[in-house]
Structures are given as structure tokens and as C-alpha cells.
Amino acid sequence: MKRSKAYIAARRDAIVALLESNGQVGVADLAEHFGVSTLTIRRDLDYLEEQHVLSRQYGTATLLNPLGRPSGSRQIRANKAIAREAAKHVNDGDCIFINASSTALSIISNITAQDVTVITNNAKAMLLTERPNASIILTGGEIRPPKASMTGEFALECVKRITATKCFLGVTGLSPTYGLTSATAPEPAVNAMMLERSHMHVIVADSSKIGKTSSFQFGSTDEVDLLITDSGATDEQVELLKENGVSEVIRVDLGPSSMPLAEDDTEPRDL
């Protein structure tokens, strides 16, 4: 029985939640838990490994936390849900900026609009599965590990030459007082240029970023047309941001982190 993309995404989120709870889980155990074949579970694990969420060894899977990236199942689920919601705000024919944020990068794989042009300074965009509805342009520039962000004059000159319909930017912190901030020194200049060269500004940030301030500011709250975050953001936080200029806030619901037993799915590997 063929399952929807949403169903498969929910099962993969639930796999991450189990790994967070148990540390390591076997393929056979996962197949039994979800009532699907081991082949289906292996497809899920292949996908999650490609997304650098887990590693696999001898029929088991282990959650990763490389270089300080978020490992908590809630934060991972939040970032994926935010990316799915953000993709709904991409329209046919849009030209969009995506910055070096992993959450922002995830938007690309969720875009269903047609004839979309994506300009990004995230070199990991080269690893994404090819999408016939979206063209990807890399800014070029100096590569900054571990995020593979491209910065410097080459990146800035590329962004300067483009007028985008929208920009989708991730942040390290979003504060009513200090605005949009980044933890990495070279990236804010590119982020600020993306703000300047786009008509609509969309910030994608899970609730752990709200109220936080990092070292390098690149924008103010009154430049934010839409903030997409998760249900962990409180009413008080949202109201304070709106009082300081954020035009609109969407809080996505993460839903349950577990799923009932179900029949196998037959989705192709790339879905």
C-alpha cells in the first residue's frame, strides 16, 4: 500500500524520537515497532543518514550530534516541520534566497511550486536530490567548515546582482532587543545582503532561538515579514516580537512523536 509523503515523514520523525530515547535501535526492532518491512526501515535510515541525523553500523542505527548540531528529537522534528511550512510560502516562479542555515536548506526538498530559482550560499545544496521544479544557483565564495557556508566578496557580489522575491533565513538568535543574530562572523554580511536584495523576509527558527542573542547582528525585528517557528514559542514571546516589528508569526504543531502500526509503504527511495 502506497503511503503519503506526510506519513513517511512522520514515521521518520518517530524513528528519531526512538533513537533519542534508546540511543541505538536495530533495524528488525524498528520494522516490528512500525509494522513495516526491514526494506522500508532501511530506506528510512538511508534518508536520515543522508541528512546527517544518524549513523548505521551492522544492522543498527545511532543518533548523531556532530559538531554541536541539534540531536534532540524535538528540535530535529521542529526544524523539519518549520521547513515544510516554509515551503508552502514559495510560489510558482519565485526567486528565493536561502542562507547557510540547515533548516533553511531543508526548505528546498519540500518545495512543490514550479519554476522556482533558489540562490544559496550553502554548499551542501549540491548534495540534494535533483528537483525538476527548482533550479539551484550557488553564490560561490570562501567555504567555511563545518557548515559549508560560502562567504566573502564572491558571495556578496553574487547576491548584490539579484533581486529575489523572498529570502528564507535561519538565525542563531532572534531577540526583540538585538534582532537577528548569527554565531559565525563571516555569515552575517551575506545574510544582511539577502535581506536587502529581497522583497519579502521570512525567518525560520525553532523556539529555542527565540529570545536568544548571538554575537553578530545582521538585521532587526522590524525587517521580519514572517517568522515561522514551532509551538514551543510562548504567547508572550510572540507578542513581544510583534510589538518590536515582526509582522506575522506562524507556530507549527509538531504533533505526536510516535505512530501506530501500519501496513508497509511502497514509496520510491527519493521521496
Side-chain angles (χ1 to χ4, degrees):
M1 179 178 179
K2 191 172 181 177
R3 297 292 178 180
S4 70
K5 291 183 180 180
Y7 188 96
I8 295 169
R11 184 178 62 239
R12 290 169 178 171
D13 288 345
I15 288 172
V16 173
L18 285 172
L19 285 168
E20 178 69 14
S21 299
N22 301 324
Q24 189 177 75
V25 181
V27 171
D29 293 333
L30 289 171
E32 181 179 357
H33 178 83
F34 292 105
V36 298
S37 70
T38 55
L39 178 61
T40 293
I41 292 299
R42 288 192 183 98
R43 284 200 298 264
D44 290 339
L45 298 181
D46 284 344
Y47 173 83
L48 292 170
E49 189 171 36
E50 289 169 1
Q51 300 299 309
H52 308 291
V53 173
L54 57 79
S55 64
R56 297 172 62 187
Q57 319 86 16
Y58 308 108
T60 63
T62 305
L63 202 64
L64 287 175
N65 183 23
L67 300 168
R69 292 181 178 87
S71 64
S73 62
R74 189 191 186 285
Q75 191 170 356
I76 291 171
R77 289 188 294 122
N79 291 343
K80 290 182 179 297
I82 290 166
R84 289 194 290 269
E85 174 62 31
K88 298 176 185 177
H89 298 266
V90 180
N91 299 320
D92 292 350
D94 272 353
C95 175
I96 64 173
F97 289 129
I98 295 284
N99 75 344
S101 155
S102 59
T103 304
L105 184 67
S106 296
I107 295 169
I108 300 173
S109 299
N110 290 281
I111 293 173
T112 58
Q114 299 299 310
D115 193 27
V116 175
T117 301
V118 178
I119 300 95
T120 182
N121 67 324
N122 192 328
K124 290 181 181 178
M126 293 187 297
L127 305 177
L128 297 176
T129 302
E130 184 177 352
R131 303 187 66 79
N133 60 323
S135 301
I136 298 177
I137 298 172
L138 299 179
T139 63
E142 181 183 358
I143 301 290
R144 305 289 300 188
K147 291 177 64 178
S149 60
M150 294 180 283
T151 59
E153 288 303 315
F154 279 104
L156 287 170
E157 284 300 319
C158 176
V159 175
K160 282 180 186 178
R161 295 173 182 270
I162 298 165
T163 301
T165 316
K166 305 176 179 82
C167 66
F168 293 84
L169 307 180
V171 298
T172 306
L174 174 56
S175 160
T177 305
Y178 296 101
L180 314 175
T181 53
S182 170
T184 308
E187 292 178 15
V190 178
N191 293 343
M193 186 61 66
M194 288 180 172
L195 284 171
E196 181 180 331
R197 300 297 303 172
S198 54
H199 293 297
M200 180 179 180
H201 309 144
V202 182
I203 301 301
V204 290
D206 68 79
S207 56
S208 70
K209 311 288 179 59
I210 308 300
K212 299 294 179 60
T213 301
S214 200
S215 302
F216 304 97
Q217 183 182 20
F218 63 87
S220 58
T221 50
D222 59 9
E223 294 179 275
V224 180
D225 297 304
L226 173 62
L227 165 65
I228 303 176
T229 186
D230 63 81
S231 54
T234 66
D235 292 342
E236 291 78 9
Q237 287 176 321
V238 169
E239 287 306 312
L240 190 56
L241 287 171
K242 287 184 174 180
E243 288 172 6
N244 283 270
V246 175
S247 297
E248 182 182 359
V249 178
I250 293 176
R251 287 179 282 185
V252 296
D253 187 1
L254 305 189
S257 60
S258 60
M259 295 175 57
L261 298 182
E263 296 180 58
D264 199 358
D265 67 72
T266 57
E267 292 286 293
R269 167 137 183 205
D270 286 339
L271 292 184

